[in-house]
Amino acid sequence: MARSDAVRTELVAVVVAVEGMPRVLTTSGYPLQLPAGPLRDDHRSMQAGLRAWVEEQTGLRLGYVEQLYTFADRDRARDGSGRMISVSYLGLTWLVNADLERWVSWYDLFPWEDQRDDGAARAALEPHLRAWVEEAETDRRAVRCGVTFGLDGREWLPELALQRYEVLYEAGLVPESPDWRAVLPPEVSGPWMLHDHRRIVATGVARLRAKIQYRPVVFELMPPEFTLGQLQACVEAIAGQHVHKQNFRRIVEQQLLVEETGGTSSETGGRPARLFRFRREILDERAAGGTKLPRGR
Amino acid sequence: MARSDAVRTELVAVVVAVEGMPRVLTTSGYPLQLPAGPLRDDHRSMQAGLRAWVEEQTGLRLGYVEQLYTFADRDRARDGSGRMISVSYLGLTWLVNADLERWVSWYDLFPWEDQRDDGAARAALEPHLRAWVEEAETDRRAVRCGVTFGLDGREWLPELALQRYEVLYEAGLVPESPDWRAVLPPEVSGPWMLHDHRRIVATGVARLRAKIQYRPVVFELMPPEFTLGQLQACVEAIAGQHVHKQNFRRIVEQQLLVEETGGTSSETGGRPARLFRFRREILDERAAGGTKLPRGR
DNA sequence: ACAAAAGTGTTCGTCTTACACCCATGC
DNA sequence: GCATGGGTGTAAGACGAACACTTTTGT
């Protein structure tokens, strides 16, 4: 095995926080890009290397981190100088002093993913998806669009974010696609990102939306103390969907995910809410415990 | 970014088939090892490279493949000549002509993972786990063992296979552990594998057990036609647990995962069973559809 | 007084679990 | 005839979805 089999390896971070909207951390400059850097010999592990790069490039110290996916298709090569492998990670934090300049909203990146409002972006997409479906002889495209985008009376599933991005990419409905048709305004198609960073973010979105349902990861995005309303708003922001208030509260409380601090908060107007804190012990105590996504309000 | 940041990259395959027992494909020789080889420039993608290596080393053409995890801790270095990155994949097949020599049973590798029999291996492990728990001042080890191994009246969760392996590794109860205590006979601790290949297999076991519950992946392990009894036996083999017969059948049939072929089979003695085939269309039609693991019989 | 958000109680329906039983074949 | 696995119906119960309503603050 000669040195010629060696490959450049890069670590890429999808760091998410929720501040009004769910947001992804970018480094400065355009096109938008994620914190990233090569894996170096002095990095003890890839996680350690990733933390180092994120801190160096953005000043942020990461808490929760998990591996996302490793990308290495040959056609990702950027400059012909051999292949590049990217190992991507998902990181979660909450923001103490929010300088949001580098924190790009998910829904600026993927406007169609927010189903809480009128779903305008999704509606704008639909005719172009239909057109793409028409081009093919078989109905595979139709079925695929139907499932991923919840068309024809099907259900919209938040965790299919990556599949939706892939459909749009193949259909030439995002600018970075090789078949880009330029039929969509930027408010609908979303912005370019460096290389395939937007795909990597989509992978993170899908993973987080899926995981939030069976593991208590939301709390990594919350401050030490929070109200149930804030917690629910955070879940809704991530899912891009409303959830049923009463059921949400019951699930959270009866699963013993949180405990009261005794304090209250009267920030948002209306009756003051009790404050809670995450019972971090349950990460050890139980293997399960997520926040289901009951249907809209 | 100089050439010094380049890193050797290896592809590793965990290929699973069920023939009586769930089995993992190994290449010849001892210690046991998984099919693997460096990622080469002429590989179009990592998946393609993986398929090439598996076919070259074992003659098997892979069907279903998904990425598992990427390992790169510095202390994995094997010969001091720089770091090695291993990108692991899970592959699923069924065996036409079973020459089982290279197909090692999961439960030879992880004897404690089979809960269908008396659970003898697990019982043999328990006192040594308790001893390890006693060594610590805090009760974190106790909680961790309790959750992962289903002690103290807790539930045994098949999909925690990786966590269980990690506990045993840290507790020095598997031979490859740096703290190996040599208190267990080989029938309980299982055999060595090359490098950290046993950890990689454990990752695959955990992933498959988890995935089988929410995605119809069992069928990748089945022949084109099968009886519901055979399907159930396959699920039970993978989960290492019995499932409730009637509920299993209802789930499979009402989810429209299968359709009758019209034929019957009278292989196993008793009344001949109807033959079914997987409705591969539902992979497109629906995003969901797994085989839940209802509790034992 | 009214808006706005917190918080409670209860009903309805579906999906899971479990039990009991009948059927068709080989030996 | 009996052992063995295939196959069916139905009742009990847990859990999620939904609705209606009360409480407590700020303006």
PDB file of all heavy atoms in Angstrom, chain B residues 140-157:
ATOM      1  N   ARG B 140     -22.305   5.168  38.646  1.00  0.00           N
ATOM      2  CA  ARG B 140     -22.520   5.324  37.206  1.00  0.00           C
ATOM      3  C   ARG B 140     -22.343   3.998  36.478  1.00  0.00           C
ATOM      4  O   ARG B 140     -23.086   3.680  35.558  1.00  0.00           O
ATOM      5  CB  ARG B 140     -21.544   6.353  36.632  1.00  0.00           C
ATOM      6  CG  ARG B 140     -21.769   7.748  37.199  1.00  0.00           C
ATOM      7  CD  ARG B 140     -21.289   8.788  36.232  1.00  0.00           C
ATOM      8  NE  ARG B 140     -21.961   8.631  34.941  1.00  0.00           N
ATOM      9  CZ  ARG B 140     -21.722   9.385  33.886  1.00  0.00           C
ATOM     10  NH1 ARG B 140     -20.810  10.340  33.983  1.00  0.00           N
ATOM     11  NH2 ARG B 140     -22.355   9.195  32.755  1.00  0.00           N
ATOM     12  N   ARG B 141     -21.347   3.245  36.880  1.00  0.00           N
ATOM     13  CA  ARG B 141     -21.145   1.938  36.251  1.00  0.00           C
ATOM     14  C   ARG B 141     -22.336   1.026  36.476  1.00  0.00           C
ATOM     15  O   ARG B 141     -22.743   0.279  35.586  1.00  0.00           O
ATOM     16  CB  ARG B 141     -19.891   1.268  36.816  1.00  0.00           C
ATOM     17  CG  ARG B 141     -18.600   1.853  36.294  1.00  0.00           C
ATOM     18  CD  ARG B 141     -17.422   1.038  36.789  1.00  0.00           C
ATOM     19  NE  ARG B 141     -16.158   1.613  36.329  1.00  0.00           N
ATOM     20  CZ  ARG B 141     -14.962   1.127  36.641  1.00  0.00           C
ATOM     21  NH1 ARG B 141     -14.865   0.050  37.437  1.00  0.00           N
ATOM     22  NH2 ARG B 141     -13.876   1.688  36.178  1.00  0.00           N
ATOM     23  N   ALA B 142     -22.882   1.086  37.670  1.00  0.00           N
ATOM     24  CA  ALA B 142     -24.035   0.229  37.981  1.00  0.00           C
ATOM     25  C   ALA B 142     -25.205   0.577  37.067  1.00  0.00           C
ATOM     26  O   ALA B 142     -25.839  -0.308  36.474  1.00  0.00           O
ATOM     27  CB  ALA B 142     -24.435   0.398  39.441  1.00  0.00           C
ATOM     28  N   VAL B 143     -25.474   1.865  36.951  1.00  0.00           N
ATOM     29  CA  VAL B 143     -26.583   2.288  36.103  1.00  0.00           C
ATOM     30  C   VAL B 143     -26.322   1.875  34.661  1.00  0.00           C
ATOM     31  O   VAL B 143     -27.193   1.339  33.984  1.00  0.00           O
ATOM     32  CB  VAL B 143     -26.774   3.817  36.205  1.00  0.00           C
ATOM     33  CG1 VAL B 143     -27.872   4.271  35.260  1.00  0.00           C
ATOM     34  CG2 VAL B 143     -27.099   4.213  37.630  1.00  0.00           C
ATOM     35  N   ARG B 144     -25.097   2.112  34.212  1.00  0.00           N
ATOM     36  CA  ARG B 144     -24.755   1.800  32.824  1.00  0.00           C
ATOM     37  C   ARG B 144     -24.916   0.320  32.529  1.00  0.00           C
ATOM     38  O   ARG B 144     -25.503  -0.068  31.510  1.00  0.00           O
ATOM     39  CB  ARG B 144     -23.305   2.241  32.580  1.00  0.00           C
ATOM     40  CG  ARG B 144     -22.863   2.111  31.165  1.00  0.00           C
ATOM     41  CD  ARG B 144     -21.608   2.905  30.939  1.00  0.00           C
ATOM     42  NE  ARG B 144     -20.973   2.531  29.700  1.00  0.00           N
ATOM     43  CZ  ARG B 144     -19.663   2.432  29.536  1.00  0.00           C
ATOM     44  NH1 ARG B 144     -18.848   2.678  30.557  1.00  0.00           N
ATOM     45  NH2 ARG B 144     -19.163   2.091  28.370  1.00  0.00           N
ATOM     46  N   CYS B 145     -24.392  -0.535  33.399  1.00  0.00           N
ATOM     47  CA  CYS B 145     -24.564  -1.981  33.202  1.00  0.00           C
ATOM     48  C   CYS B 145     -26.032  -2.360  33.250  1.00  0.00           C
ATOM     49  O   CYS B 145     -26.500  -3.180  32.459  1.00  0.00           O
ATOM     50  CB  CYS B 145     -23.804  -2.760  34.277  1.00  0.00           C
ATOM     51  SG  CYS B 145     -22.030  -2.761  34.039  1.00  0.00           S
ATOM     52  N   GLY B 146     -26.738  -1.765  34.191  1.00  0.00           N
ATOM     53  CA  GLY B 146     -28.152  -2.087  34.324  1.00  0.00           C
ATOM     54  C   GLY B 146     -28.909  -1.791  33.046  1.00  0.00           C
ATOM     55  O   GLY B 146     -29.671  -2.627  32.549  1.00  0.00           O
ATOM     56  N   VAL B 147     -28.678  -0.621  32.476  1.00  0.00           N
ATOM     57  CA  VAL B 147     -29.397  -0.227  31.268  1.00  0.00           C
ATOM     58  C   VAL B 147     -28.988  -1.100  30.086  1.00  0.00           C
ATOM     59  O   VAL B 147     -29.830  -1.637  29.377  1.00  0.00           O
ATOM     60  CB  VAL B 147     -29.129   1.258  30.939  1.00  0.00           C
ATOM     61  CG1 VAL B 147     -29.697   1.607  29.572  1.00  0.00           C
ATOM     62  CG2 VAL B 147     -29.743   2.144  32.001  1.00  0.00           C
ATOM     63  N   THR B 148     -27.684  -1.247  29.890  1.00  0.00           N
ATOM     64  CA  THR B 148     -27.240  -1.930  28.679  1.00  0.00           C
ATOM     65  C   THR B 148     -27.511  -3.434  28.731  1.00  0.00           C
ATOM     66  O   THR B 148     -27.843  -4.035  27.715  1.00  0.00           O
ATOM     67  CB  THR B 148     -25.740  -1.693  28.429  1.00  0.00           C
ATOM     68  OG1 THR B 148     -25.022  -2.007  29.614  1.00  0.00           O
ATOM     69  CG2 THR B 148     -25.473  -0.257  28.060  1.00  0.00           C
ATOM     70  N   PHE B 149     -27.354  -4.028  29.904  1.00  0.00           N
ATOM     71  CA  PHE B 149     -27.523  -5.481  29.997  1.00  0.00           C
ATOM     72  C   PHE B 149     -28.876  -5.880  30.573  1.00  0.00           C
ATOM     73  O   PHE B 149     -29.115  -7.057  30.821  1.00  0.00           O
ATOM     74  CB  PHE B 149     -26.398  -6.097  30.830  1.00  0.00           C
ATOM     75  CG  PHE B 149     -25.105  -6.172  30.076  1.00  0.00           C
ATOM     76  CD1 PHE B 149     -24.221  -5.113  30.089  1.00  0.00           C
ATOM     77  CD2 PHE B 149     -24.792  -7.291  29.314  1.00  0.00           C
ATOM     78  CE1 PHE B 149     -23.029  -5.176  29.376  1.00  0.00           C
ATOM     79  CE2 PHE B 149     -23.609  -7.361  28.598  1.00  0.00           C
ATOM     80  CZ  PHE B 149     -22.724  -6.294  28.623  1.00  0.00           C
ATOM     81  N   GLY B 150     -29.733  -4.917  30.824  1.00  0.00           N
ATOM     82  CA  GLY B 150     -31.057  -5.263  31.313  1.00  0.00           C
ATOM     83  C   GLY B 150     -31.026  -5.936  32.677  1.00  0.00           C
ATOM     84  O   GLY B 150     -31.778  -6.879  32.926  1.00  0.00           O
ATOM     85  N   LEU B 151     -30.156  -5.455  33.556  1.00  0.00           N
ATOM     86  CA  LEU B 151     -30.082  -6.037  34.901  1.00  0.00           C
ATOM     87  C   LEU B 151     -31.114  -5.379  35.822  1.00  0.00           C
ATOM     88  O   LEU B 151     -31.746  -4.400  35.460  1.00  0.00           O
ATOM     89  CB  LEU B 151     -28.681  -5.830  35.488  1.00  0.00           C
ATOM     90  CG  LEU B 151     -27.520  -6.353  34.633  1.00  0.00           C
ATOM     91  CD1 LEU B 151     -26.195  -6.047  35.304  1.00  0.00           C
ATOM     92  CD2 LEU B 151     -27.670  -7.842  34.388  1.00  0.00           C
ATOM     93  N   ASP B 152     -31.270  -5.965  36.992  1.00  0.00           N
ATOM     94  CA  ASP B 152     -32.126  -5.385  38.030  1.00  0.00           C
ATOM     95  C   ASP B 152     -33.529  -5.099  37.508  1.00  0.00           C
ATOM     96  O   ASP B 152     -34.096  -4.029  37.739  1.00  0.00           O
ATOM     97  CB  ASP B 152     -31.507  -4.085  38.568  1.00  0.00           C
ATOM     98  CG  ASP B 152     -30.039  -4.272  38.936  1.00  0.00           C
ATOM     99  OD1 ASP B 152     -29.713  -5.352  39.470  1.00  0.00           O
ATOM    100  OD2 ASP B 152     -29.231  -3.360  38.671  1.00  0.00           O
ATOM    101  N   GLY B 153     -34.064  -6.066  36.805  1.00  0.00           N
ATOM    102  CA  GLY B 153     -35.444  -5.936  36.359  1.00  0.00           C
ATOM    103  C   GLY B 153     -35.641  -5.033  35.163  1.00  0.00           C
ATOM    104  O   GLY B 153     -36.761  -4.802  34.729  1.00  0.00           O
ATOM    105  N   ARG B 154     -34.559  -4.486  34.615  1.00  0.00           N
ATOM    106  CA  ARG B 154     -34.716  -3.669  33.421  1.00  0.00           C
ATOM    107  C   ARG B 154     -34.898  -4.540  32.194  1.00  0.00           C
ATOM    108  O   ARG B 154     -34.634  -5.728  32.205  1.00  0.00           O
ATOM    109  CB  ARG B 154     -33.489  -2.786  33.221  1.00  0.00           C
ATOM    110  CG  ARG B 154     -33.368  -1.674  34.232  1.00  0.00           C
ATOM    111  CD  ARG B 154     -32.073  -0.936  33.987  1.00  0.00           C
ATOM    112  NE  ARG B 154     -31.670  -0.158  35.134  1.00  0.00           N
ATOM    113  CZ  ARG B 154     -32.004   1.118  35.288  1.00  0.00           C
ATOM    114  NH1 ARG B 154     -32.747   1.713  34.401  1.00  0.00           N
ATOM    115  NH2 ARG B 154     -31.598   1.778  36.356  1.00  0.00           N
ATOM    116  N   GLU B 155     -35.286  -3.864  31.137  1.00  0.00           N
ATOM    117  CA  GLU B 155     -35.567  -4.553  29.896  1.00  0.00           C
ATOM    118  C   GLU B 155     -34.268  -4.738  29.104  1.00  0.00           C
ATOM    119  O   GLU B 155     -33.422  -3.849  29.068  1.00  0.00           O
ATOM    120  CB  GLU B 155     -36.523  -3.660  29.114  1.00  0.00           C
ATOM    121  CG  GLU B 155     -37.214  -4.300  27.963  1.00  0.00           C
ATOM    122  CD  GLU B 155     -38.205  -3.318  27.331  1.00  0.00           C
ATOM    123  OE1 GLU B 155     -38.165  -2.116  27.703  1.00  0.00           O
ATOM    124  OE2 GLU B 155     -38.979  -3.746  26.484  1.00  0.00           O
ATOM    125  N   TRP B 156     -34.118  -5.867  28.446  1.00  0.00           N
ATOM    126  CA  TRP B 156     -32.996  -6.111  27.538  1.00  0.00           C
ATOM    127  C   TRP B 156     -33.342  -5.521  26.184  1.00  0.00           C
ATOM    128  O   TRP B 156     -34.342  -5.905  25.569  1.00  0.00           O
ATOM    129  CB  TRP B 156     -32.749  -7.609  27.400  1.00  0.00           C
ATOM    130  CG  TRP B 156     -31.766  -7.977  26.336  1.00  0.00           C
ATOM    131  CD1 TRP B 156     -32.024  -8.151  25.010  1.00  0.00           C
ATOM    132  CD2 TRP B 156     -30.371  -8.224  26.508  1.00  0.00           C
ATOM    133  NE1 TRP B 156     -30.880  -8.485  24.341  1.00  0.00           N
ATOM    134  CE2 TRP B 156     -29.842  -8.540  25.241  1.00  0.00           C
ATOM    135  CE3 TRP B 156     -29.508  -8.212  27.613  1.00  0.00           C
ATOM    136  CZ2 TRP B 156     -28.498  -8.851  25.043  1.00  0.00           C
ATOM    137  CZ3 TRP B 156     -28.172  -8.522  27.412  1.00  0.00           C
ATOM    138  CH2 TRP B 156     -27.680  -8.832  26.145  1.00  0.00           C
ATOM    139  N   LEU B 157     -32.541  -4.587  25.702  1.00  0.00           N
ATOM    140  CA  LEU B 157     -32.808  -3.979  24.403  1.00  0.00           C
ATOM    141  C   LEU B 157     -31.786  -4.473  23.390  1.00  0.00           C
ATOM    142  O   LEU B 157     -30.598  -4.151  23.491  1.00  0.00           O
ATOM    143  CB  LEU B 157     -32.746  -2.452  24.514  1.00  0.00           C
ATOM    144  CG  LEU B 157     -33.818  -1.830  25.409  1.00  0.00           C
ATOM    145  CD1 LEU B 157     -33.566  -0.340  25.604  1.00  0.00           C
ATOM    146  CD2 LEU B 157     -35.201  -2.059  24.814  1.00  0.00           C
TER     147      LEU B 157
END
